[in-house]
Amino acid sequence: MTTAPCDTAGWTTTAAAGSAALMETGDMETTLRGVGVSHGVAIGEVRHMGTAVLEPPARQIPAEGAEREQERARKAVEAVAADLTARGTLAGGEAQAVLEAQAMMAQDPELLADVERRIAVGSTAERAVYDAFAAYRELLAGAGEYLAGRVADLDDVRNRIVARLLGVPMPGVPDSDTPYVLIARDLAPADTALLDPALVLGFVTEEGGPTSHSAILARALGVPAVVALPGAGELAEGTVIAVDGSSGELFVNPSAEKRAELEAAAAERKAALAASSGPGATSDGHRVPLLANVGGPADVPAAVEAGAEGVGLFRTEFLFLDDSKAAPSEQKQVEAYRQVLEAFPEGRVVVRVLDAGADKPLDFLTPADEPNPALGVRGLRTLLDHPEVLRTQLTALAKAAEGLPVHLEVMAPMVADRIDARAFADACREAGLQAKFGAMVEIPSAALRARSILREVEFLSLGTNDLAQYTFAADRQVGAVSRLQDPWQPVLLDLVALSAEAARAEGKSCGVCGEAASDPLLACVLTGLGVTSLSMGAASIPYVRATLAKYTLAQCERAAAAARAADTAEEAREAARTVLSGE
Ligand code: PEP
Ligand code: MG
């Protein structure tokens, strides 16, 4: 087991990525290996993320089987309704009303009569449910805005009944009253809203790399995670596993000794970190503010607790995921923004305007027919095509910041060139925003011409996740190319250096808000390259703070030069480690 000290505990298992070891049967302890992306150890039972319900085949059943099939359908409906009601009682409040309404939908007498009619003429129970709900869905969709808004709830009820009839896991986040380790092919941002951090002990995904949204989410939740582990999907539901989010290892049926060993190492590391506090700085006092990446007000307490000096990336798109049809109202946005701004009264809060498209599509904004969504209309491009959405967001931000002493900064994702930067700055000025305007560097063109972009905006923020994706033409969601997503790639360091140098020459700031900032050793290298702040998931802040505090700025600069001189990510990491450890 790797018990790496915090200064070297990066996301280092890339070489092993994708090498799911043999999966033995029985109770023997087996080790699988993926890419560790969020520190810590999780031990618990496997629960799989249910996949989308497939359309059941249209099979004919003999007439004599109809009654039994109708009985099966009735029982499934009753069980789903009872389950929804029970979950509502448990949840209470607004959620209870929603779940009870869903239970009533499931038991709608007309819907049930339609299901029975369809079975009587030869349908299987699952197909009859599927078709009856489809007919009802059409009615609902055409019946005015309020009812149309219930279509998603209806689909969820249908999926639950069909899954029960087919004997497959319920779609979406598992239903469980006890904590579990979640296994999924990958996790979309839309799934994340449904996860209960009290129940999810850790994650394992088959796809994804260190910068995929599953990895980002795991860090935001502060739970251990391993990604790019093919074969994880085959682990039986309920199997006990131990996941080490530092080493990327997954132990199936861990022995008592192994559990104790993992838990002791995790506790030791946690205790060492608890001792670190205060603002981010090198050992010789060069300040590097450590900021938090947040997705909304819910992430703020963890950021404050971790001692974040502000927010370096507020991913506002999470506010837009609740409704697939429209943007949240100005008022709703004002409330959410204000909650985040109020949490850092004297601090700095960098809000990124909506980054929709590609891996974060929004039905009402993202074109459905793009051949290469990551290269299509996403980020700022989407907003320039929908200026009313940008205007509302900027106006909401201006209102949210009114009267607060906070240092508000607003930045645009996916800025390609000076024209983009100017369009964004113009929109901010038109909205009367009293804030600094900035551009994210996520496309190599922006890094290469950073100086020209800085003629229009006041700061840069490096989105190293997308910057790696676009530099290497390697989809950040595809586990098979996770090697190229490694932020230690020397060419990525070159682009960081170019951006930081341009900002320094212009007397402006250049932070990093991509996942690269959360790797403690790499954070030292980024500091040595000249970046002026580091923003990361709250759980990583203590690790980065503790590591940065061990080295001088000159040491960080030497480590950065050594890493840039390397040819591969592995060599760059090794070179930096050697410089910093003084070997
Ligand atoms: C990035 O690309 O590095 C970034 C911070 O943005 P996101 O991960 O949300 O695309
Ligand atoms: Mg990005």
Side-chain angles (χ1 to χ4, degrees):
M1 142 81 190
T2 313
T3 51
C6 59
D7 56 330
T8 55
W11 323 123
T12 56
T13 48
T14 315
S19 59
L22 57 154
M23 187 127 37
E24 287 165 15
T25 51
D27 285 345
M28 278 186 65
E29 185 179 297
T30 309
T31 307
L32 308 178
R33 195 179 295 275
V35 180
V37 294
S38 180
H39 289 295
V41 168
I43 302 176
E45 287 189 7
V46 164
R47 294 274 181 285
H48 289 276
M49 185 87 179
T51 46
V53 162
L54 300 176
E55 184 177 337
R59 243 176 347 102
Q60 279 288 311
I61 55 161
E64 59 273 23
E67 216 169 293
R68 201 183 60 87
E69 208 61 6
Q70 284 169 338
E71 178 64 16
R72 226 164 56 80
R74 269 194 301 274
K75 281 209 170 123
V77 164
E78 276 161 26
V80 166
D83 176 54
L84 288 166
T85 310
R87 277 157 20 86
T89 313
L90 213 65
E94 233 173 272
Q96 181 167 16
V98 173
L99 289 162
E100 281 176 357
Q102 279 193 297
M104 280 172 68
M105 273 180 187
Q107 289 170 303
D108 183 287
E110 278 185 38
L111 203 53
L112 202 55
D114 190 16
V115 169
E116 291 186 345
R117 249 190 323 272
R118 289 171 191 271
I119 296 175
V121 295
S123 222
T124 59
E126 46 271 19
R127 182 72 203 194
V129 168
Y130 192 86
D131 289 341
F133 271 74
Y136 193 46
R137 184 185 205 282
E138 244 171 67
L139 270 179
L140 219 54
E145 204 179 319
Y146 176 75
L147 287 178
R150 306 276 69 78
V151 161
D153 296 351
L154 184 76
D155 286 347
D156 180 54
V157 173
R158 178 203 62 189
N159 293 346
R160 286 172 178 280
I161 303 174
V162 172
R164 184 168 282 270
L165 285 164
L166 292 172
V168 297
M170 292 291 165
V173 175
D175 294 339
S176 178
D177 299 333
T178 51
Y180 56 85
V181 181
L182 182 66
I183 298 207
R185 195 160 172 277
D186 202 356
L187 284 169
D191 301 323
T192 65
L194 304 168
L195 289 178
D196 179 350
L199 287 176
V200 182
L201 298 169
F203 295 177
V204 179
T205 62
E206 296 194 276
E207 286 287 340
T211 61
S212 63
H213 282 96
S214 0
I216 294 172
L217 170 72
R219 277 176 229 148
L221 287 176
V223 298
V226 172
V227 301
L229 204 165
E234 286 153 41
L235 290 168
E237 189 89 357
T239 309
V240 174
I241 58 172
V243 177
D244 184 338
S246 302
S247 68
E249 287 169 311
L250 183 161
F251 304 92
V252 185
N253 296 318
S255 62
E257 295 80 57
K258 174 57 79 183
R259 284 172 177 232
E261 181 195 324
L262 289 169
E263 277 165 352
E268 205 177 292
R269 199 156 48 205
K270 228 171 158 179
L273 288 170
S276 103
S277 64
T282 56
S283 62
D284 55 340
H286 172 71
R287 290 271 292 111
V288 187
L290 302 179
L291 310 168
N293 290 355
V294 303
D299 295 336
V300 165
V304 172
E305 199 188 324
E309 296 167 63
V311 168
L313 169 62
F314 178 176
R315 288 187 165 96
T316 56
E317 51 276 9
F318 288 96
L319 299 173
F320 286 68
L321 292 174
D322 284 354
D323 187 345
S324 59
K325 299 232 154 23
S329 68
E330 183 184 298
Q331 190 47 35
K332 195 170 166 196
Q333 291 190 48
V334 171
E335 281 159 25
Y337 302 151
R338 196 157 174 104
Q339 282 181 57
V340 176
L341 296 179
E342 277 173 347
F344 297 95
E346 303 291 328
R348 193 169 138 208
V349 175
V350 186
V351 180
R352 173 174 77 188
V353 292
L354 176 65
D355 183 20
D359 51 342
K360 293 175 277 194
L362 285 178
D363 286 355
F364 65 101
L365 292 178
T366 310
D369 53 355
E370 290 183 323
N372 293 303
L375 303 182
V377 181
R378 63 161 294 199
L380 179 64
R381 302 166 185 182
T382 305
L383 292 172
L384 296 179
D385 278 359
H386 297 269
E388 70 294 347
V389 175
L390 178 58
R391 204 165 30 244
T392 306
Q393 192 171 23
L394 294 174
T395 310
L397 274 168
K399 289 189 179 170
E402 251 166 38
L404 295 180
V406 67
H407 301 281
L408 175 63
E409 303 188 8
V410 182
M411 65 184 182
M414 293 291 290
V415 171
D417 59 7
R418 185 170 175 176
I419 293 176
D420 273 354
R422 184 183 306 149
F424 178 64
D426 284 347
C428 291
R429 277 187 285 269
E430 276 160 31
L433 203 55
Q434 300 297 315
K436 277 191 178 178
F437 317 140
M440 286 189 75
V441 177
E442 304 190 275
I443 309 176
S445 62
L448 292 166
R449 302 304 301 267
R451 254 189 120 154
S452 121
I453 286 174
L454 282 165
R455 303 261 141 72
E456 305 292 343
V457 293
E458 291 157 274
F459 69 94
L460 298 178
S461 181
L462 284 144
T464 46
N465 311 333
D466 276 315
L467 192 55
Q469 158 161 276
Y470 294 118
T471 301
F472 286 100
D475 191 325
R476 62 194 272 192
Q477 306 217 91
V478 175
V481 293
S482 67
R483 175 181 82 79
L484 297 169
Q485 279 294 330
D486 192 325
W488 280 95
Q489 293 279 0
V491 64
L492 201 67
L493 303 181
D494 287 347
L495 293 174
V496 170
L498 267 180
S499 309
E501 278 157 20
R504 190 180 335 192
E506 294 289 323
K508 295 181 176 176
S509 62
C510 175
V512 173
C513 67
E515 295 305 300
S518 65
D519 174 335
L521 192 65
L522 186 49
C524 297
V525 166
L526 296 171
T527 300
L529 292 174
V531 310
T532 52
S533 63
L534 297 163
S535 190
M536 66 209 83
S540 301
I541 290 177
Y543 291 90
V544 171
R545 184 194 290 121
T547 307
L548 200 57
K550 291 170 75 168
Y551 306 109
T552 62
L553 176 60
Q555 281 177 303
C556 292
E557 285 169 349
R558 278 200 297 279
R564 275 184 81 185
D567 281 324
T568 67
E570 267 315 304
E571 284 170 21
R573 189 183 281 117
E574 223 20 70
R577 204 195 301 272
T578 306
V579 169
L580 291 178
S581 63
E583 280 166 16

